[in-house]
């Protein structure tokens, strides 16, 4: 297995605060790796370390097999592009001029490829429009174009769809999938918007309190996410008693709702509830979502 990125026992401390705590992860080459975690879980700190903007307190990481302590790591980073926190663009410059400036910074000998980049990110019609007049989605796409100016094969994005309207989210999702499929680009994307992440990620890393608590492929995650029957009733203590009598596996969702997992005789449960004068408000079959999987995972980690 070839990895674009590996990390082993990474720690980053700011005084007494551990932003990263013995974090280990593996990002396969060619993957769209979704880094899932709430705000403050360590996502941005991890990306900043990988990009060389900060140094780890302890531990190490490798990019395409080259360790962060190697003298060659700066050359390997030329294969990377990144958008961290917010795109680094000049608002008083046009999209085309922003790219020209990036070409100057990278030392590229000509402006060949700028038109292709603008077309790739869907900004060819706005190429001579100043970035200050762009929507958040357009600015994010311009930021991605700047990250692609050095022809990287590893792209790191920190919350790229945060605050963007639905149409902009769709455009960025389609762009990232296109880059992954057509250019075989490895993409590490951090996000707490799990519903959108589930539409493009091939692998996931769940981060909590600076540690990766689980890594899983999208295929394995799909197999792990179980179907359940969601039931809402007038009397939750009665439902719990009936479910326990049937040795059912369940999870209480709210003060009147529960999810029932595995094989069960729903007709028998309904009959028993009726005898106990417990009314059924609603009953529906559901698939476990990425969001509920994450919540259960984090809840389990906290209880360990």
């Amino acid at each position: 297995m070839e990895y674009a990125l590996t990390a082993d026992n990474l720690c980053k401390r700011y005084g007494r605060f551990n932003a990263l705590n013995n974090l280990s992860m593996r990002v396969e080459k060619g993957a769209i790796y979704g880094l899932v975690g709430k705000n403050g879980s360590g996502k941005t700190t991890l990306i900043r370390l990988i990009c060389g903007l900060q140094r780890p307190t302890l531990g190490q990481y490798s990019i395409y097999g080259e360790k962060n302590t190697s003298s060659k790591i700066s050359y390997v980073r030329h294969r990377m592009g990144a958008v961290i926190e917010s795109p680094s663009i000049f608002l008083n410059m046009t999209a085309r001029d922003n790219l020209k400036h990036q070409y100057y910074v990278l030392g590229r000998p000509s402006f060949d490829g700028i038109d292709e980049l603008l077309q790739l990110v869907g900004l060819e019609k706005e190429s001579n429009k100043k970035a200050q007049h762009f929507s958040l989605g357009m600015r994010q796409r311009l930021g991605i174009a700047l990250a692609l100016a050095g022809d990287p094969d590893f792209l790191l994005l920190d919350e790229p769809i945060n605050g963007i309207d639905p149409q902009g989210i769709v455009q960025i999702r389609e762009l990232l999938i296109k880059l992954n499929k057509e250019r075989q680009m490895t993409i590490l994307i951090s996000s707490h918007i799990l519903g959108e992440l589930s539409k493009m990620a091939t692998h996931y890393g769940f981060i909590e309190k600076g540690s990766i608590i689980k890594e899983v492929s999208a295929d394995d995650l799909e197999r792990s996410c179980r179907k359940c029957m969601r039931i809402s009733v007038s009397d939750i203590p009665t439902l719990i008693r009936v479910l326990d009598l049937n040795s059912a596996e369940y999870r209480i969702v709210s003060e009147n709702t529960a999810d029932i997992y595995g094989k069960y005789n729903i007709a028998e449960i309904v009959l028993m509830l009726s005898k106990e004068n417990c009314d059924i408000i609603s009953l529906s079959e559901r698939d476990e979502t990425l969001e509920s999987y994450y919540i259960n995972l984090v809840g389990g980690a906290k209880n360990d």
Side-chain angles (χ1 to χ4, degrees), residues 226-233 236 238-240 242-244 246-253 256-270 273 280 282-288:
R226 300 171 295 173
K227 287 187 176 182
C228 68
M229 185 67 70
R230 174 157 291 187
I231 183 170
S232 296
V233 296
I236 197 72
T238 298
L239 174 63
I240 292 173
V242 167
L243 293 177
D244 286 341
N246 283 270
S247 300
E249 183 184 357
Y250 62 90
R251 179 174 69 94
I252 303 302
V253 178
N256 68 344
T257 304
D259 288 337
I260 309 172
Y261 298 96
K263 295 181 179 180
Y264 44 80
N265 188 332
I266 194 65
E268 185 176 342
I269 291 174
V270 169
L273 289 173
I280 296 176
S282 65
L283 190 66
S284 61
E285 190 173 61
R286 295 169 56 90
D287 288 327
E288 189 176 24

Side-chain angles (χ1 to χ4, degrees), residues 8-13 20 45 48-50 52-61 68-69 77:
D8 295 290
N9 300 313
L10 269 184
C11 295
K12 181 61 181 178
R13 298 192 187 112
L20 296 180
T45 300
R48 290 179 67 85
L49 256 64
I50 295 166
L53 299 176
Q54 294 179 330
R55 293 182 179 179
T57 305
L58 293 171
Q60 65 179 23
Y61 62 89
N68 62 294
T69 52
R77 285 204 180 97

Side-chain angles (χ1 to χ4, degrees), residues 44-170:
T44 299
T45 300
L46 173 62
I47 292 176
R48 290 179 67 85
L49 256 64
I50 295 166
C51 291
L53 299 176
Q54 294 179 330
R55 293 182 179 179
T57 305
L58 293 171
Q60 65 179 23
Y61 62 89
S62 298
I63 303 170
Y64 291 112
E66 205 67 51
K67 293 182 179 180
N68 62 294
T69 52
S70 168
S71 59
K72 298 179 181 178
I73 191 66
S74 59
Y75 295 101
V76 177
R77 285 204 180 97
H78 288 309
R79 299 176 64 178
M80 295 168 48
V83 180
I84 304 175
E85 295 180 301
S86 60
S88 299
I89 60 180
F90 295 97
L91 296 179
N92 63 335
M93 292 169 57
T94 66
R96 184 179 298 278
D97 286 342
N98 266 281
L99 282 168
K100 284 182 178 180
H101 181 269
Q102 186 72 355
Y103 270 44
Y104 278 129
V105 171
L106 294 171
R108 298 196 61 164
S110 73
F111 296 137
D112 292 344
I114 285 182
D115 287 335
E116 182 184 353
L117 274 178
L118 288 166
Q119 185 175 6
L120 178 66
V121 299
L123 292 176
E124 66 273 20
K125 294 181 180 178
E126 292 85 10
S127 62
N128 295 314
K129 186 176 179 180
K130 287 189 176 181
Q132 62 188 357
H133 301 302
F134 282 6
S135 66
L136 284 176
M138 292 167 67
R139 291 182 189 181
Q140 197 64 256
R141 282 185 280 142
L142 177 56
I144 293 174
L146 294 173
L148 296 174
D151 291 327
D153 50 22
F154 187 14
L155 185 62
L156 297 93
L157 304 173
D158 184 24
E159 300 282 2
I161 57 177
N162 200 17
I164 297 178
D165 60 79
Q167 183 179 359
I169 289 175
V170 171

